[in-house]
Amino acid sequence: MMNPNSHGGLLPTLLAVFVLVHAAVASLHGVHHAHHVHHVQRSPNALEAKFEETKQLLEKRASYIKITGVTGTVQPRLEIRDLKKNADQWNLFLLGMQRFMAKPKSDPLSFYQVTGVHGRPFVAWNNFQPINQAGFCPHSQILFGSWHRPYLALYEQVWYQNVLEVIATFPTNQQQRWKNAAATLRMPYWDWAKVPPNGEASTPTSIRDKTVTVTTPSGQQTIDNPLYSYNFGTVPSEMGGLPWNNFPVTLRRPVANPTRSNNNELATVMNQRRINMRDRLYGIFSSGASWGDVSTSAIGVRTSQNGNNVDSFESIHDIVHTSIGGESGGNMYYLDISSFDPIFWLHHTNMDRLLALYQVISPNTYVTAGKINRPMAQWNAGEPKNSYTPLKPFTKDTAGNYFTSEDIRNTRVLGYVYPETNGNPTAASVRSAINSLYGPSAPSKKRHYSTGPFEGRPFRHGDQHTVLSVIANKYALDGSYVVDCFLGHSNSTKNMTSASYDSPDYVGSYGVLGMMKADRNSSNPVMTEGCLPLTTALQGKQISGELKSMSPQHIEAYLKDNLKCKVIGPGGAEIPAEQVPDLHFYVKSCPVTPASSPEELPTWGEFEVLPEVTKHWPKVGETYTYPKPAAPAVPASPESPSYGTPSVPHGTVPVAPPMGTSSPPANSVVPLYPTSTPESPFHHPSEEPGYCQQKITIKYVDEAGNFLYSEEK
Ligand SMILES: *[C@@H]1O[C@H](CO)[C@@H](O)[C@H](O)[C@H]1NC(C)=O
Ligand SMILES: *[C@@H]1O[C@H](CO)[C@@H](O)[C@H](O)[C@H]1NC(C)=O
Ligand SMILES: *[C@@H]1O[C@H](CO)[C@@H](O)[C@H](O)[C@H]1NC(C)=O
Ligand SMILES: [Cu+2]
């Protein structure tokens, strides 16, 4: 995606420079172009020497993008609605975006090329030629959380450069005003889970309006809103074979005749899902799990699938993607083309923020070790990675050294913080912020279930936290899919085909963000897990009298009769769940210890599977057994003789323990530790700052999945 002239492979590039150097030498000595003939006809040895000389010169000239974020001072990235309160900063934000998006696609620092690093069009960037026909973005892998950090910093840095260019276009006597506004300006994030102000939709109009009025050097002007869509200019044929491929702008929940985005529907859906998404965030923040476990949806990274970590930030990130893109195939619905929609950046900045908050809560944990699970632009499947892995293609200097996850542990390195990490954040101060942003609503705010989704109440002693766990293959279908979940005995829940998000029984949806047909490999399943909390909905059912009590027995019986799910696939049609490859559901519940102060979060006790709820669900209710690990699955040191050989035949999950009995720990997913590669020198996990020793129980099962014995490591 760099300028094609500069990326025709190494040799043509070398020759091009060779000629350039000759021209320079020639003019330096005042000689004429005719001398070139003489040079070219020199003996092969002389030519080779010259070649070597120019090669060295080229290497010196080869320059990589030095990613720094916005330099100077460290400033908070604000929530989009807060940034908008500062009219001058908001104006610069929009004008900078407009200018950034208008840069020619041949410019490596254009919006097109910067956003194109993520997925399609699968071409070189920053001197890195893809080794596979794939994008650079490591979704459902250990580096999901940290890789996006320098990526966002790059985007912010380039956008900010455009802001500075815009300021230079203002009359001299106005420039100081704009420079003052820019001094503390950083790009905003969109918190889709917090209570929106003044009863507004959770998706602000500033993202949904088609046009916006801005102050330019020539006065007020109404322009196309740069947060509404990106205009490719021409039909982007390299975006793959989608129904919407013929349309030159990014789309959200597209509708036809004429082809356009449906941002009103987007706002409605995001509202309907907000409570459940808020509960998911609160559940993760309260989980006590390690950062590595909560950052990604991938099974095989997470070490405590049966423990308290039931969800991940990446899993929530997926439902935001699918809700925005929509089943009709908007950009955000497909991993490979999502980053072109400007909303992607507002969403991902929020993801980075959530991950930064979790770092404060769990300061001694970070990126865990694991293996790449599908061919990517910069890595091959199976390559071991850890927190010292170079986050290609993001370089921290012009010499071409890549950032590692360790380099960017602290966001201040990249010139920013978030409101909650500004100053001297502590775990207590961040937990306090989580409580006020995402805690269940105060009792005065609760609404009766029949007038909309119940908004929750603070936890009490004797409460249970209950979740529907979803195990899903990320690339099972051509595109994404969504599991809609309903709870209750209203008419709509009886007929799932007609059940809608307007129903008082709608709980929320679980999204699995996939790739388009051309880019996915259906024979290489990538397994993920996350969950939908049912707790708030159950509280509502208890208040309405449908559910007798919060005892696990009553919950299990109630859910067995009233929990319904349907899968909506690409195109919007319902797909029988049993026809979706590798899809599994189970429900689990744990006792809750309420927080003792606003600086504390509730704690989850040990989860117990409620097998009765899902065991009659065709196929998807069956106990899921992990596929045989392809690589060493037990932490072993390189010195150990067994190192490098698979030592876990199979793993298994939720062998439902009978209610009331003590359930054995069954943490069957264990980390895959890396071996040394030239780009990733071996670091034993215990030597890494982010390492957190966990007790691991491995359950051995036979080919049929029957339990044989378990072992503690
Ligand atoms: C539910 O079904 C019953 C009987 O089929 C019907 O009388 C009632 O009106 C329906 N309620 C709603 C809200 O559709
Ligand atoms: C369920 O609803 C759909 C759409 O409204 C309708 O076509 C179908 O007949 C209903 N099925 C049953 C069993 O009532
Ligand atoms: C798809 O994945 C399978 C299993 O990993 C692999 O053998 C195959 O080569 C892949 N196909 C392509 C086209 O990459
Ligand atoms: Cu991404």
Side-chain angles (χ1 to χ4, degrees):
M1 68 190 318
M2 304 281 276
N3 184 333
N5 294 336
S6 60
H7 279 271
L10 183 62
L11 194 62
T13 315
L14 276 174
L15 290 176
V17 171
F18 182 65
V19 171
L20 264 174
V21 169
H22 270 268
V25 168
S27 64
L28 201 67
H29 294 275
V31 288
H32 296 288
H33 281 268
H35 284 90
H36 277 248
V37 179
H38 170 74
H39 286 299
V40 173
Q41 286 176 340
R42 279 200 299 204
S43 71
N45 274 354
L47 193 67
E48 219 171 276
K50 192 73 197 163
F51 195 89
E52 191 52 39
E53 187 189 316
T54 36
K55 189 177 150 216
Q56 280 167 14
L57 207 132
L58 175 74
E59 278 165 1
K60 227 170 128 187
R61 286 162 58 120
S63 189
Y64 293 79
I65 295 164
K66 181 178 178 179
I67 298 172
T68 57
V70 180
T71 51
T73 57
V74 173
Q75 299 295 335
R77 289 177 178 171
L78 301 179
E79 211 279 334
I80 184 164
R81 285 157 283 207
D82 291 326
L83 180 67
K84 195 165 185 273
K85 290 174 190 162
N86 183 322
D88 282 5
Q89 289 196 328
W90 184 250
N91 196 55
L92 286 182
F93 168 53
L94 294 175
L95 290 179
M97 284 299 298
Q98 184 195 30
R99 191 179 177 94
F100 184 18
M101 288 169 147
K103 289 279 163 81
K105 286 197 251 181
S106 56
D107 180 348
L109 297 181
S110 60
F111 182 88
Y112 176 73
Q113 286 213 25
V114 169
T115 58
V117 170
H118 191 260
R120 281 180 171 258
F122 307 158
V123 294
W125 187 81
N126 198 17
N127 305 321
F128 196 98
Q129 186 68 44
I131 57 172
N132 292 297
Q133 272 297 297
F136 285 93
C137 178
H139 283 262
S140 292
Q141 318 208 43
I142 56 149
L143 299 174
F144 169 76
S146 58
W147 183 89
H148 283 84
R149 186 164 283 178
Y151 190 27
L152 287 158
L154 164 73
Y155 179 93
E156 183 173 45
Q157 176 181 345
V158 179
W159 153 75
Y160 194 83
Q161 180 59 37
N162 282 278
V163 169
L164 297 181
E165 289 169 18
V166 165
I167 293 175
T169 66
F170 276 88
T172 324
N173 64 355
Q174 289 177 26
Q175 289 196 4
Q176 197 53 49
R177 166 186 167 191
W178 298 112
K179 281 180 187 161
N180 291 345
T184 56
L185 180 61
R186 295 293 181 274
M187 67 179 178
Y189 63 90
W190 168 37
D191 185 354
W192 26 254
K194 75 166 193 173
V195 181
N198 318 317
E200 292 163 12
S202 63
T203 313
T205 53
S206 59
I207 305 178
R208 296 186 277 134
D209 288 340
K210 246 182 132 161
T211 58
V212 64
T213 302
V214 287
T215 303
T216 72
S218 48
Q220 293 237 316
Q221 270 183 28
T222 298
I223 60 167
D224 286 340
N225 181 3
L227 307 182
Y228 180 81
S229 70
Y230 168 64
N231 192 334
F232 288 92
T234 52
V235 173
S237 60
E238 65 275 27
M239 291 301 128
L242 283 175
W244 307 98
N245 196 32
N246 293 333
F247 212 68
V249 301
T250 57
L251 295 167
R252 301 172 189 155
R253 306 189 73 86
V255 288
N257 298 321
T259 305
R260 63 198 188 279
S261 288
N262 191 346
N263 275 286
N264 289 339
E265 189 180 81
L266 159 61
T268 304
V269 168
M270 288 301 286
N271 278 350
Q272 286 160 330
R273 295 177 177 172
R274 189 186 66 82
I275 298 288
N276 191 249
M277 288 160 62
R278 175 204 73 182
D279 287 352
R280 291 181 73 177
L281 290 184
Y282 201 63
I284 294 176
F285 278 115
S286 306
S287 69
S290 72
W291 190 95
D293 276 9
V294 300
S295 64
T296 175
S297 60
I299 294 182
V301 173
R302 298 165 56 180
T303 54
S304 52
Q305 191 194 28
N306 248 24
N308 282 353
N309 177 32
V310 292
D311 205 0
S312 69
F313 289 115
E314 186 181 8
S315 291
I316 306 179
H317 143 278
D318 277 21
I319 188 62
V320 177
H321 265 267
T322 57
S323 301
I324 295 168
E327 281 74 26
S328 53
N331 290 70
M332 288 286 277
Y333 192 71
Y334 296 97
L335 196 52
D336 13 26
I337 55 169
S338 56
S339 53
F340 296 103
D341 186 334
I343 204 172
F344 172 100
W345 298 91
L346 300 167
H347 169 38
H348 266 272
T349 308
N350 190 41
M351 294 310 301
D352 183 65
R353 165 180 159 267
L354 295 167
L355 290 160
L357 299 194
Y358 205 90
Q359 283 185 270
V360 181
I361 288 188
S362 184
N364 299 320
T365 68
Y366 195 43
V367 174
T368 51
K371 295 200 168 191
I372 297 300
N373 56 25
R374 63 180 172 85
M376 299 180 59
Q378 70 277 50
W379 297 308
N380 286 311
E383 285 184 30
K385 300 294 168 214
N386 64 15
S387 67
Y388 295 92
T389 296
L391 298 172
K392 295 173 181 176
F394 305 126
T395 43
K396 56 185 173 187
D397 52 38
T398 53
N401 293 302
Y402 294 99
F403 280 104
T404 70
S405 302
E406 292 296 339
D407 290 334
I408 42 86
R409 247 182 123 126
N410 192 332
T411 66
R412 290 168 175 271
V413 170
L414 297 168
Y416 71 90
V417 287
Y418 292 102
E420 301 88 351
T421 60
N422 205 354
N424 294 306
T426 60
S429 71
V430 168
R431 284 192 299 256
S432 181
I434 303 297
N435 270 322
S436 52
L437 285 167
Y438 311 124
S441 306
S444 62
K445 279 173 143 183
K446 79 187 167 202
R447 287 152 58 179
H448 192 262
Y449 82 103
S450 61
T451 61
F454 182 65
E455 292 190 359
R457 57 159 173 78
F459 286 105
R460 303 177 192 136
H461 285 281
D463 271 344
Q464 289 282 126
H465 181 46
T466 307
V467 302
L468 171 70
S469 277
V470 183
I471 296 174
N473 173 5
K474 195 165 173 62
Y475 306 118
L477 303 178
D478 293 332
S480 301
Y481 53 105
V482 167
V483 179
D484 294 332
C485 174
F486 298 82
L487 187 57
H489 50 227
S490 75
N491 294 7
S492 65
T493 323
K494 285 181 187 125
N495 181 350
M496 284 307 288
T497 305
S498 64
S500 82
Y501 304 142
D502 288 334
S503 161
D505 290 344
Y506 177 55
V507 175
S509 297
Y510 185 87
V512 183
L513 175 61
M515 284 197 259
M516 62 178 74
K517 185 180 176 129
D519 299 340
R520 75 184 183 101
N521 182 346
S522 55
S523 45
N524 183 25
V526 171
M527 298 308 292
T528 62
E529 185 181 11
C531 77
L532 290 182
L534 304 174
T535 306
T536 297
L538 286 168
Q539 289 170 351
K541 300 303 177 188
Q542 193 190 5
I543 289 171
S544 73
E546 277 183 53
L547 172 65
K548 270 187 233 146
S549 82
M550 282 289 168
S551 76
Q553 287 77 8
H554 283 151
I555 289 174
E556 185 171 35
Y558 180 78
L559 290 177
K560 181 175 183 236
D561 290 341
N562 296 295
L563 179 66
K564 307 268 167 52
C565 290
K566 63 175 177 179
V567 181
I568 307 295
E574 181 178 349
I575 306 174
E578 63 273 23
Q579 287 176 20
V580 179
D582 311 308
L583 184 62
H584 304 271
F585 297 108
Y586 64 100
V587 169
K588 56 187 175 182
S589 186
C590 70
V592 178
T593 306
S596 52
S597 84
E599 292 189 341
E600 299 297 323
L601 292 168
T603 51
W604 312 139
E606 189 158 334
F607 277 95
E608 282 187 271
V609 174
L610 308 183
E612 290 302 318
V613 182
T614 51
K615 77 174 189 196
H616 59 287
W617 293 10
K619 200 155 174 264
V620 294
E622 290 166 13
T623 299
Y624 170 67
T625 303
Y626 290 118
K628 198 169 189 164
V634 176
S637 76
E639 295 78 38
S640 133
S642 66
Y643 189 76
T645 55
S647 43
V648 180
H650 279 76
T652 187
V653 244
V655 189
M659 290 297 303
T661 65
S662 69
S663 58
N667 302 343
S668 42
V669 180
V670 288
L672 310 175
Y673 293 139
T675 50
S676 180
T677 67
E679 68 153 40
S680 176
F682 180 82
H683 292 272
H684 190 269
S686 60
E687 293 163 10
E688 296 180 20
Y691 184 68
C692 172
Q693 181 68 54
Q694 301 213 355
K695 195 177 76 180
I696 294 153
T697 304
I698 299 163
K699 293 182 89 176
Y700 292 85
V701 295
D702 64 18
E703 289 294 324
N706 301 309
F707 175 73
L708 298 174
Y709 63 96
S710 69
E711 197 176 295
E712 299 230 322
K713 292 269 170 189

